[in-house]
Amino acid sequence: MRAQLTGTAPAAAPDEPDLGHHGDVEATPGLVDLAVNVRRAPMPDWLADPLVAALGRLSAYPDPAPARAAVAHRHGRPAEEVLLTAGAAEGFVLLARALRDARRPVVVHPQFTEPEAALRAAGHTVERVLLDPAEEFRLDPARVPADADLVMVGNPTNPTSVLHPAETLAALARPGRVLVVDEAFADTTIAPGVDGEPESLAARRDLPGLVVVRSLTKTWGLAGLRVGYLLGDASLLARCAEAQPLWAVSTPALAAATACAAPAAVAAERAIAAELAADREHLVARLAGLPGVRVAGRPASAFVLVHRPSAAALRERLREHGWAVRRGDTFPGLGPDWLRIAVRDPATTDAFSDVLAEILEA
Ligand SMILES: Cc1ncc(COP(=O)(O)O)c(C=O)c1O
């Protein structure tokens, strides 16, 4: 039997990447943080006001119904196809617990490590499909075993910043399989001539077994609030809800979910994504001029993945100079020659690139 029902993760092999490592531990005080992908900007009033108002209702237990309706409306789905969660991270845990009967769970890497960590913690034995840097981390659906009954993939993917075409992911959906697409960063993506998020499956109700995982913590700087949601088949989400602790999502988090689902918030997200694209182009152009530095693929999100021989040592040198970037070696399929760098405003990028150039030329 593939799945173990002990509820404990199998011990990691000594050369296994540390799936529990996250960029926040690299952004230590005093360093400029290019390690964490959470946007830093003053909170808009339309978000701050309902959050503050929610503090006045803390004596009551949270009621997710209004937020659920608002999120459902945003994505053109009935309310039963939405489950509010304490961040996308809780979504992975609920899915892993609700789907304990999965026989062949497959995770497409490199990607955010929590989906695999959650599966392992729920007793699953996980298989990995490793995308190839030589192919710019493109996904060929034929690489996923036909009898995989649970498949987890990120779009756009952290840390590669690759945005897979919606149709490539849709080709992975089939009866008898749950397809989990982590769209935590979908709101950062944009394409010329496309109104909404270019490759999102969030509104697709025709794909069997599809569950889309969303986060509100990145663009809206709400990592500490813990708010996200699952979108998908009502009966599958009902199973996830059974695995969820009572009142898991707090009243302020629900207020944020409602506010972020409003048309004005969605329009603001599009504007932020457009600005981010320009900032990203600037970062990519600056990195392109540096010796031995190669940006992976065509980055589409709030970070870029960079290859440079001995990047692990370079990361240490950057820390000595006051800059934190995310190590790449804790992502399955990468190694010590990779770094992930957050897209910031052009002035920060320029200051960073100057320091990096100085180190590389020394
Ligand atoms: C790709 C990806 N998915 C999900 C998450 C978790 O997001 P949340 O803060 O909503 O739990 C992260 C956090 O870094 C992430 O990078």
Side-chain angles (χ1 to χ4, degrees):
M1 188 166 98
R2 283 175 186 280
Q4 302 172 2
L5 298 177
T6 58
T8 54
D15 56 349
E16 262 292 281
D18 173 8
L19 298 183
H21 182 88
H22 296 294
D24 54 345
V25 299
E26 305 197 38
T28 43
L31 299 186
V32 185
D33 172 17
L34 303 190
V36 178
N37 296 318
V38 171
R39 184 170 152 267
R40 309 277 163 74
M43 192 177 282
D45 289 346
W46 58 258
L47 179 52
D49 292 347
L51 267 176
V52 170
L55 300 182
R57 301 195 301 279
L58 291 184
S59 60
Y61 284 96
D63 172 12
R68 199 179 191 196
V71 170
H73 182 73
R74 171 184 177 172
H75 294 291
R77 289 171 172 271
E80 311 79 66
E81 294 183 9
V82 175
L83 179 65
L84 272 299
T85 58
E90 191 196 28
F92 302 129
V93 172
L94 300 183
L95 285 160
R97 290 179 182 166
L99 297 168
R100 277 207 168 100
D101 56 352
R103 291 179 318 279
R104 193 170 184 189
V106 167
V107 177
V108 178
H109 281 292
Q111 74 145 303
F112 185 53
T113 48
E114 282 305 314
E116 177 170 328
L119 286 171
R120 289 194 194 203
H124 296 274
T125 300
V126 176
E127 281 177 62
R128 295 174 179 166
V129 167
L130 294 183
L131 302 186
D132 189 346
E135 294 171 0
E136 300 199 327
F137 300 104
R138 266 192 299 275
L139 172 62
D140 172 2
R143 297 273 322 278
V144 175
D147 62 344
D149 54 353
L150 171 57
V151 176
M152 290 187 158
V153 59
N155 207 38
T157 310
N158 172 13
T160 61
S161 204
V162 167
L163 182 63
H164 301 296
E167 286 319 310
T168 301
L169 297 183
L172 287 172
R174 62 197 57 184
R177 169 185 286 175
V178 174
L179 170 65
V180 178
V181 181
D182 175 8
E183 292 195 357
F185 287 97
D187 60 1
T188 65
T189 61
I190 195 159
V194 177
D195 274 348
E197 300 164 355
E199 307 297 344
S200 172
L201 297 181
R204 290 285 294 267
R205 305 184 60 217
D206 59 318
L207 298 173
L210 172 69
V211 179
V212 174
V213 182
R214 301 280 299 205
S215 170
L216 296 172
T217 72
K218 314 294 183 192
T219 293
W220 298 120
L222 299 175
L225 189 63
R226 313 305 308 127
V227 57
Y229 48 89
L230 302 179
L231 303 169
D233 173 73
S235 60
L236 180 53
L237 293 200
R239 286 170 67 192
C240 291
E242 280 170 24
Q244 189 175 36
L246 195 57
W247 305 306
V249 188
S250 71
T251 300
L254 293 168
T258 303
C260 293
V266 176
E269 269 177 8
R270 296 294 77 216
I272 292 167
E275 193 181 337
L276 177 73
D279 291 349
R280 185 173 59 238
E281 246 175 65
H282 184 69
L283 173 62
V284 170
R286 289 297 313 258
L287 292 172
L290 298 176
V293 172
R294 184 171 60 79
V295 173
R298 273 194 31 227
S301 191
F303 42 87
V304 302
L305 182 68
V306 160
H307 183 270
R308 173 100 191 4
S310 308
L314 179 59
R315 186 180 71 90
E316 293 299 338
R317 297 279 289 130
L318 282 164
R319 292 184 71 79
E320 288 160 19
H321 284 75
W323 295 86
V325 297
R326 169 67 159 91
R327 63 194 300 163
D329 58 348
T330 61
F331 290 104
L334 299 184
D337 292 342
W338 296 91
L339 295 174
R340 192 193 68 198
I341 302 171
V343 177
R344 302 284 192 232
D345 62 275
T348 305
T349 290
D350 284 341
F352 170 72
S353 307
D354 290 347
V355 168
L356 184 54
E358 222 174 89
I359 294 172
L360 292 174
E361 282 152 20

